[in-house]
């Protein structure tokens, strides 16, 4: 009897696990709800548990910086001279740019920083690339918001709890991000494939890239604001063009969650309304 | 006998196997800021479930293994049910064979674990590939298995201390 009961419970739970695996992906709202509520419970624990690793990482970084302080200072002084000249040039270009945008009535993108968050957990799986952050709907985070850090793009929010969010990393196989070549403005799509170096797809046939080319976000797709650093081309083969991301996704600490929307001047909207009215 | 549980184990200390496995699952999810660990972090939950199913199977029932696997799926962001299913299969295999493991030395258990970890890695790779509908890198899965095999003695040492807490003072 005991053996029968044991066999029944084993069969029941295996069937349940299989059912979750097969139908879980189809009924995403229920699964997302359960996942986000469970994540909300574990995020505070993971937040505390990850503090020692953050302290150890910070200490190692501090040691490294102390070791290179003199050579770094020398490099920064010479770099500062170059940057001062570039700053003057950039401010002149910014004025020109504003003037031309006004003339053309170009829709201005507005970037709202929703919250700064701490990465508390990493999937650490070769097949699924995501992280958990300690900000959720209570902090104004919504599904599909861009997540960036000081180096470049990180990913986007996919699953939200009240105090936690799951971020799909740019390296995940389900990630697709519209990007462009910094130099020529050629639009492409950055496709994750679960490797540390995502692939650039949809490069026009007549265009060629070179190792070291800088890739930025294009702003299409309305998730990532344009001109954010994405990475650099590191490999060009028959299989595809791979880039090394600017942000180190294996070493994330604090990230920013940003919302992006295009705001057009009210004059244009009024004009559109008046043209529609006769219909 | 190592495999026998006394009645005094039932109670508060009876949840130690579950809690210790849950702690290892949480350890798996922390960020270690090391490039190579990003893809190859060992399956600590597999080592823990294997250990408890040999020495204290009654304290690691099917429902507990299912719940632990489900929690791992949720916290890691993997497909819901994948780890639950694979850990359940490991439990069924180990419990059926556990009488053969109990009387043997650690080295024998480790050798069997090598086989279990490699098959587990292959099963994870196959399930993930079917779920994603694209063949994934097999070497990553096998790398994870090899790391798991390497850290198994450390997990056994840690869980051995936890198991000592289960031994009654009256015994």
């Amino acid at each position: 009897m005991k053996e029968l009961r044991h066999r029944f419970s084993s069969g029941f739970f295996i069937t349940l696990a299989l059912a979750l695996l097969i139908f879980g992906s189809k009924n995403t709202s229920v699964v997302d709800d359960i996942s986000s509520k469970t994540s909300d419970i574990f995020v505070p624990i993971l937040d505390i548990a990850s503090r020692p690793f953050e302290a150890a990482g910070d200490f190692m970084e501090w040691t490294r910086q102390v070791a290179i302080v003199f050579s770094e200072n020398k490099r920064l002084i010479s770099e500062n001279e170059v940057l001062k000249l570039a700053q003057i040039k950039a401010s002149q270009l910014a004025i020109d740019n504003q003037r031309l945008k006004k003339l053309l009535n170009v829709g201005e993108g507005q970037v709202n920083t929703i919250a700064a968050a701490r990465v508390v957990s990493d999937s650490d799986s070769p097949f699924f690339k995501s992280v958990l952050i300690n900000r959720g709907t209570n902090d104004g985070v919504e599904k599909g918001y861009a997540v960036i850090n000081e180096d470049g793009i990180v990913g986007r929010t996919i699953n939200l709890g009240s105090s936690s969010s799951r971020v799909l990393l740019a390296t995940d196989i389900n990630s697709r991000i519209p990007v462009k070549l910094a130099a020529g403005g050629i639009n492409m799509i950055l496709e994750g494939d679960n490797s540390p170096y995502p692939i650039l797809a949809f490069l026009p046939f007549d265009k060629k890239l070179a190792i070291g080319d800088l890739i930025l976000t294009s702003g299409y797709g309305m998730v990532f604001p344009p001109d954010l650093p994405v990475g650099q081309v590191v490999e060009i083969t028959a299989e595809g063009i791979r880039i090394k991301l600017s942000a180190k996704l294996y070493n994330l600490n604090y990230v920013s969650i940003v919302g992006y929307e295009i705001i057009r001047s009210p004059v244009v909207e009024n004009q559109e309304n008046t043209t529609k009215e006769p219909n | 006998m190592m495999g026998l549980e006394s009645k005094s184990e039932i109670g508060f200390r009876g949840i130690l196997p579950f809690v210790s496995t849950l702690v290892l699952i949480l350890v798996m999810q922390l960020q270690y800021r090391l490039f190579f660990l990003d893809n190859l972090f060992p399956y600590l939950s597999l080592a823990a479930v294997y250990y408890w199913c040999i020495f204290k199977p009654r304290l690691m029932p099917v429902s507990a293994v299912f719940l632990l696997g489900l929690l791992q799926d949720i916290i890691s962001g993997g497909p819901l049910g994948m780890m639950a299913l694979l850990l359940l299969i490991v439990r069924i295999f180990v419990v059926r064979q556990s009488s053969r493991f109990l009387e043997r030395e650690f080295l024998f258990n480790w050798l069997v674990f090598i086989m279990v970890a490699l098959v587990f890695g292959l099963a994870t790779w196959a399930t993930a590939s079917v779920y994603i509908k694209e063949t994934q890198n097999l070497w990553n899965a096998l790398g994870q298995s090899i790391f798991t095999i390497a850290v198994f003695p450390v997990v056994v040492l840690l869980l051995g201390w936890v198991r000592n807490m289960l031994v009654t003072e009256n015994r």
Side-chain angles (χ1 to χ4, degrees):
Chain A
M1 188 65 188
K2 198 179 168 187
E3 176 66 18
L4 194 71
R5 207 177 63 190
H6 179 255
R7 279 192 178 189
F8 173 76
S9 68
S10 296
F12 171 74
F13 282 111
I14 282 185
T15 313
L16 193 60
L18 264 171
L20 277 171
L21 196 56
I22 295 164
F23 301 111
S25 58
K26 289 176 180 125
N27 202 354
T28 48
S29 60
V30 179
V31 171
D32 284 357
D33 201 36
I34 296 166
S35 301
S36 55
K37 282 195 168 73
T38 314
S39 297
D40 280 346
I41 297 166
F42 284 98
V43 157
I45 303 165
L46 289 162
D47 196 0
I48 295 164
S50 61
R51 296 278 172 180
F53 294 100
E54 185 189 343
D58 290 348
F59 178 73
M60 282 171 73
E61 181 59 23
W62 179 81
T63 317
R64 195 186 67 82
Q65 286 188 0
V66 166
I68 60 165
V69 71
F70 289 110
S71 59
E72 188 67 4
N73 190 40
K74 204 174 169 185
R75 189 186 65 80
L76 287 172
I77 287 168
S78 60
E79 195 179 273
N80 198 31
E81 295 299 318
V82 179
L83 288 175
K84 273 179 186 169
L85 294 171
Q87 192 186 16
I88 295 164
K89 207 173 175 181
S91 57
Q92 285 169 348
L93 288 170
I95 294 163
D96 274 357
N97 195 21
Q98 281 295 324
R99 190 174 53 81
L100 291 168
K101 272 183 176 173
K102 256 186 189 171
L103 279 172
L104 294 168
N105 199 10
V106 174
E108 198 72 65
Q110 188 179 333
V111 181
N112 301 315
T113 303
I114 308 297
R118 193 165 169 271
V119 176
V120 296
S121 151
D122 189 339
S123 59
D124 275 332
S125 162
F127 311 123
F128 310 99
K129 302 288 180 188
S130 64
V131 293
L132 266 179
I133 55 173
N134 64 349
R135 292 283 182 269
T137 49
N138 288 350
D139 308 286
V141 182
E142 286 179 25
K143 203 170 179 175
Y145 274 176
V147 179
I148 59 173
N149 73 357
E150 68 277 14
D151 295 323
I153 61 157
V154 171
R156 64 187 161 88
T157 54
I158 51 163
N159 192 2
L160 302 171
S162 55
S163 60
S164 69
S165 307
R166 181 161 296 282
V167 178
L168 186 80
L169 296 178
T171 48
D172 188 273
I173 199 157
N174 292 310
S175 171
R176 300 285 183 275
I177 299 168
V179 294
K180 67 180 179 190
L181 181 69
I186 307 163
N187 289 310
M188 293 166 281
I189 299 288
L190 183 73
E191 292 185 354
D193 68 343
N194 286 343
S195 81
Y197 306 105
I199 297 168
L200 281 176
F202 300 110
L203 175 72
F205 289 116
D206 56 334
K207 307 287 180 189
K208 285 215 165 111
L209 297 185
I211 302 282
D213 276 350
L214 194 65
I215 306 296
L216 305 174
T217 51
S218 66
Y220 294 136
M222 301 300 297
V223 174
F224 289 92
D227 302 322
L228 291 175
V230 175
Q232 277 187 307
V233 176
V234 287
E235 188 185 289
I236 302 171
T237 60
E239 288 170 12
I241 303 158
R242 290 194 179 269
I243 73 157
K244 185 184 180 189
L245 294 171
S246 306
K248 291 175 183 163
L249 300 189
Y250 63 90
N251 187 13
L252 294 169
N253 194 0
Y254 289 93
V255 292
S256 293
I257 305 148
V258 293
Y260 176 61
E261 57 181 334
I262 297 280
I263 296 183
R264 292 198 176 273
S265 69
V267 180
V268 178
E269 279 175 17
N270 289 341
Q271 278 174 357
E272 281 173 0
N273 288 340
T274 48
T275 50
K276 277 176 190 171
E277 268 171 14
N279 299 329
Chain B
M1 286 286 283
M2 286 192 291
L4 297 176
E5 292 110 23
S6 68
K7 279 184 181 177
S8 53
E9 284 172 1
I10 299 162
F12 179 70
R13 283 183 297 179
I15 63 163
L16 279 175
F18 180 87
V19 173
S20 59
T21 311
L22 183 61
V23 168
L24 288 177
I25 287 172
L26 294 179
V27 167
M28 282 175 76
Q29 307 312 320
L30 295 175
Q31 260 223 332
Y32 294 94
R33 297 158 187 247
L34 296 169
F35 182 74
F36 74 97
L37 272 184
D38 201 36
N39 268 340
L40 301 171
F41 203 82
Y43 305 111
L44 298 180
S45 53
L46 168 69
V49 167
Y50 177 84
Y51 179 87
W52 288 120
C53 288
I54 290 175
F55 295 110
K56 302 284 173 190
R58 272 177 54 199
L59 300 182
M60 186 57 83
V62 180
S63 52
V65 175
F66 175 78
L67 192 62
L68 286 164
L70 208 59
L71 284 173
Q72 187 178 340
D73 289 331
I74 290 171
I75 301 168
S76 70
L80 210 62
M82 187 174 94
M83 276 298 147
L85 178 70
L86 296 176
L87 289 176
L88 277 172
I89 293 168
V90 169
R91 189 198 183 272
I92 291 166
F93 168 75
V94 175
V95 168
R96 283 197 180 168
Q97 305 293 324
S98 61
S99 57
R100 295 176 196 187
F101 297 141
L102 280 173
E103 306 302 326
R104 304 292 188 114
E105 288 180 353
F106 164 76
L107 201 62
F108 175 81
N109 287 343
W110 197 8
L111 286 172
V112 177
F113 184 74
I114 290 172
M115 190 191 73
V116 171
L118 288 173
V119 173
F120 188 86
L122 276 172
T124 310
W125 167 79
T127 314
S129 296
V130 170
Y131 187 84
I132 297 169
K133 293 171 190 154
E134 197 173 314
T135 312
Q136 294 298 294
N137 189 343
L138 176 64
W139 296 110
N140 280 336
L142 290 178
Q144 264 190 304
S145 293
I146 291 164
F147 263 87
T148 313
I149 293 161
V151 300
F152 182 70
V154 182
V155 176
V156 168
L157 187 74
L158 293 172
L159 296 181
W161 289 338
V162 178
R163 190 155 66 96
N164 284 341
M165 290 181 208
L166 292 169
V167 178
T168 59
E169 289 131 19
N170 307 343
R171 191 178 279 184

